[in-house]
Amino acid sequence: MRLFRLFPTRLRYGVAALLLSVGCSAPQEKRAQPTPAELARARQQQLHQDSLRADSVAKVHGELPGAILPDSRIVAYYGNPLHKSMGILGQYPQDEMLRRLSEQIEEWEAADPKRPVRPALHLTAIIAQRDSGADGKYRASLPDSTIRRMIALGRQQHALVFLDVQVGLSTLPQELPRLAPYLRLPFVHLGIDPEFSMKSGRRPGTEVGEFDAQDVNYARRFLADIVSEYQLPPKVLVVHRFRQDMVTNYQDIKTDPRVQIVMDMDGWGTPKIKRGSYRKFIKQQPVEFAGFKLFYKNDRRPGSRLMTPAEVAALDPKPLYIQYQ
């Protein structure tokens, strides 16, 4: 749904005023009705001026029109399409991967039939590296051709696409602008990974990194500006987390109806360990929406097993973003 189709009374008055200011009215004694094209242009200009503030667009159940959460659940396959070892997304040939994703979605639909499932492809677009690279930032981007190919696949499959960012020794303000052309598409969303944000200056992988609330807030503002400028439905921002110190000052993270923030419990282990982490880092430190990650390999190590969709759906709060690696 285009966001400018629903207008509260205050915004309709704003459009009328804008029409007068751009000369779309006849002389006072005989005022003509604006044409549909003039109304559409005026509405677009008004929305751009209002920047889609929460009170400037009609809401649906507390969310802006077109919002994915909380009415739907996202089930995503994660990984690097160029490397088999980085997740299910690149582990199998494309047709086999899509078949497995379809079967996984069917399991979720059976476990929670009242909540529609949106399939998603979640790829690591900017990846932390062991080598420093020419600029010493310890990260590299997937080729544009690969990102475009996955976005085309998402469009073909009617799936959401998430671009995940591991900044290494770089920063979100340095890395996110290069993804802006993709994020302008309405079905493309964003993930940020504190694990590989090395504020200590150490090489990625030698210790667990972190994002502060100000980093998450930057990503939120970045996405919100894109939503406003291109009149898009709300974006989803996934923040990975499996330790308390990975996200500092969580209480200072600000919400915005243009961006739906998901705190994704990202750790692997036994069901008991995963439930405990979820209580500590998601339930006790909530932001907006909750997510849960499942590892096909690591969760199935000796003495452990993969949690079922019914078990995950029973968690409190209910995870609405599910990621499989």
Side-chain angles (χ1 to χ4, degrees), residues 194-195 197 199 207-212 240-249 281 285:
E195 181 179 1
S197 171
K199 295 182 182 295
E207 64 182 10
V208 175
E210 67 179 76
F211 277 139
D212 187 71
H240 305 287
R241 187 178 196 183
F242 59 84
R243 279 179 24 172
Q244 187 170 19
D245 56 359
M246 285 177 67
V247 179
T248 55
N249 300 308
F281 311 134
Q285 296 192 356

Side-chain angles (χ1 to χ4, degrees), residues 258-272:
R258 295 168 289 179
V259 180
Q260 300 191 297
I261 300 175
V262 173
M263 298 301 292
D264 178 37
M265 206 295 289
D266 193 10
W268 56 266
T270 65
K272 181 178 180 180

Side-chain angles (χ1 to χ4, degrees), residues 2 8 22 24 31 37 56 67 97 99 103 105 120 125 135-136 161 179 209 213 229 257 260 284 291 317:
R2 297 288 293 192
V22 296
C24 294
R31 180 175 298 171
S56 70
M97 179 272 293
R99 184 189 68 80
E103 290 179 351
I105 287 172
D135 60 0
V161 175
L179 300 180
E229 183 174 359
Q260 300 191 297
Q284 293 181 15

Side-chain angles (χ1 to χ4, degrees), residues 11-35 38-39 41-43 45-46 49:
L11 186 55
R12 290 200 300 269
Y13 291 152
V15 172
L18 185 62
L19 284 170
L20 290 173
S21 69
V22 296
C24 294
S25 61
Q28 185 68 29
E29 65 275 10
K30 186 179 180 181
R31 180 175 298 171
Q33 293 294 321
T35 67
E38 290 169 340
L39 277 171
R41 285 195 299 269
R43 287 169 178 168
Q45 293 179 40
Q46 184 67 37
Q49 291 175 6

